[in-house]
Amino acid sequence: MKLQARDLTAGYVPGVNILDGISFDLADQEIMTVIGPNGSGKSTFLKCLMGFVPARTGTVTISGADCTKVPAHRRVRRHRMAFVPQLDNVFGPMSIRENVRAGGQHMPRRERERRADELLGRYPALGDRQHARADSLSGGERQLLAVCRALMPRPDVLLLDEPSAGLSPAKVTELFDTIVGIRADEDVTVLCVEQNAVQSLAVSDRGLVLVQGQVALEGAARELMLDPQVSELYLGGLPASTPEVTSVVEGVL
Ligand SMILES: Nc1ncnc2c1ncn2[C@@H]1O[C@H](COP(=O)(O)OP(=O)(O)OP(=O)(O)O)[C@@H](O)[C@H]1O
Ligand SMILES: [Mg+2]
């Protein structure tokens, strides 16, 4: 398994666990969507996997190596993890290229430039304007930029916190296509917290439903999409039989 958690608990205030005994397995190059109500602990979950919020009990392993006690900056280098936080983390006044390069601080200079060229070359929306200020980008382009920055050191595991937040429906679809492309191009395992559950599950191998810091449901993404409880609570109240969901599900099956 690429990424595993066992009985993970974590929180901010003594005595209150926001994550309450989370276990899951994610195989190499799988994409997993995490859904759940606001405040259920999704962002805390990613922060704990990344090491920004320490685990109180339990373990996190990457490729079999226990990294539970390893601080976040070392997880980036030693365990090849990358994290794109929920809130906009693009440095607006810096150029697009500088933003991408910022993800490769520890890389040797020449390799860093080569890697930035590679990523900017792959995404013309960024590459064609690489010397423009990052705050001139659209919302979707900014998300892509944040992802490219995270990809600079060639991570094995990519944690994304609501990458499609605030995007128009067409841009949401485009973003998920891009994530699938990244998995293919970069051989990366992806864990993605999402509100756009239908589209995200549609491109995922696995899904996990987090409720009050616990795993309420976990399984193959296509099975979760067809689960009546999931579709009612998390897929915008759409029963699995409505045309919107059916068309996405059929596209997947
Ligand atoms: N830095 C913090 N200090 C104290 N409590 C926090 C902190 N960050 C989050 N919490 C609390 O932890 C709980 C879970 O928050 P979290 O951000 O993980 O939820 P979420 O599922 O990501 O929500 P959303 O869908 O709104 O992004 C909430 O009750 C929140 O108030
Ligand atoms: Mg969140």
Side-chain angles (χ1 to χ4, degrees), residues 43 86 161-162:
S43 294
Q86 182 165 8
D161 198 349
E162 302 201 18

Side-chain angles (χ1 to χ4, degrees), residues 27 45 95 172 243:
F45 179 39
S95 76
V172 171

Side-chain angles (χ1 to χ4, degrees), residues 12-13 18 36-45 47 86 162 195:
Y12 303 96
V13 177
I18 299 298
N38 292 124
S40 60
K42 303 182 297 298
S43 294
T44 305
F45 179 39
K47 287 177 196 161
Q86 182 165 8
E162 302 201 18
Q195 301 279 356

Side-chain angles (χ1 to χ4, degrees), residues 37-112:
N38 292 124
S40 60
K42 303 182 297 298
S43 294
T44 305
F45 179 39
L46 293 192
K47 287 177 196 161
C48 186
L49 291 175
M50 193 64 209
F52 290 127
V53 175
R56 287 176 171 163
T57 61
T59 54
V60 178
T61 57
I62 296 186
S63 304
D66 188 336
C67 66
T68 317
K69 298 272 187 280
V70 177
H73 65 280
R74 288 219 202 99
R75 286 191 206 198
V76 171
R77 296 178 69 183
R78 195 189 298 167
H79 298 283
R80 313 203 73 82
M81 293 189 84
F83 175 49
V84 179
Q86 182 165 8
L87 294 174
D88 192 345
N89 67 348
V90 159
F91 303 124
M94 279 166 53
S95 76
I96 292 165
R97 186 179 182 89
E98 283 164 341
N99 268 274
V100 173
R101 288 178 72 256
Q105 280 176 19
H106 304 287
M107 295 166 79
R109 200 183 121 81
R110 210 181 275 171
E111 190 192 332
R112 190 180 183 188

Side-chain angles (χ1 to χ4, degrees), residues 205-231:
D205 304 289
R206 305 197 64 76
L208 187 152
V209 182
L210 201 63
V211 179
Q212 293 186 350
Q214 297 187 335
V215 178
L217 279 168
E218 200 260 328
R222 61 187 64 174
E223 278 164 29
L224 281 193
M225 286 177 83
L226 297 169
D227 185 302
Q229 214 185 332
V230 173
S231 54

